[in-house]
Amino acid sequence: MKKFVIALMVIIAGFAAPEIAPQAEAQVRSENQIRRAKKRKIKRRTRRRVRRRVARRAHFAYRHLPRYRATVVAAPKGAILIKRAGTSYHYHEGIFYRPAASGFVVIRPVVGVRVRTLPAARRRVVVANQSYFYYYGSFYKEVDNEFEVVDAPEGAMVDALPDGYEVEEIDGTEYYVLDDVYYQEVETDELEDGIGYEVVKL
């Protein structure tokens, strides 16, 4: 009887094995396909093709805002006074104004200036696993529930620059220049319209 039971189990295992093996193989194939798809997705998301000739107005998204370095008669109503390193700024909705003889000049703040709020249109930028916020030519890091101005991180990808930049050609490639920070125009799928401006060190 015992020999009969063992023989029966061997026969059942023989019938089941051909079914189990294809299922295991199918599962392995499925997992490999998922891994390959993830790799392709990562590559597509990080692909950036440099344009050697700038092709469009980098300030299009900020076209409704004051031109960088422009002079206005008065700071906007409700602007907040901020002092840093002996300089006074008037801050309003992501833009800084500095008092001048003929009014107020639109400028970028020095590193270390902190503000409590940024406009809803700010962009979150991740570089080397570090999170930054970007708006109107300035980069920020969140510190103690405030936003502190920092240097532009190399490799950061932004969607627009404030009007007032210059275009400079170096070794056959054109760059946007804003306060000594260089940006190259690239084709990328990291942004909605497929075009971005990447911070580069030259």
Side-chain angles (χ1 to χ4, degrees), residues 1 4 19-20 26 30 42 86 89 107 113-114 174 176 179 196:
M1 182 67 180
F4 175 76
E19 295 182 3
I20 295 173
S30 177
I42 291 172
Y89 302 93
I107 64 161
V113 169
R114 290 188 182 185
E174 292 181 336
Y176 298 94
D179 268 358

Side-chain angles (χ1 to χ4, degrees), residues 24-76:
E25 291 177 2
Q27 183 176 355
V28 170
R29 285 197 300 270
S30 177
E31 291 175 354
N32 288 338
Q33 289 172 353
I34 292 173
R35 281 196 292 269
R36 286 195 295 269
K38 286 182 178 180
K39 288 181 180 179
R40 287 196 298 270
K41 185 176 181 181
I42 291 172
K43 289 180 181 178
R44 284 197 298 270
R45 187 170 61 247
T46 58
R47 184 182 296 125
R48 298 176 180 178
R49 190 170 76 86
V50 177
R51 289 183 168 182
R52 295 179 66 84
R53 289 287 181 270
V54 299
R56 69 172 188 175
R57 295 182 301 166
H59 60 276
F60 184 77
Y62 294 137
R63 63 191 181 281
H64 59 291
L65 298 176
R67 178 186 174 89
Y68 176 64
R69 289 182 178 158
T71 300
V72 297
V73 176

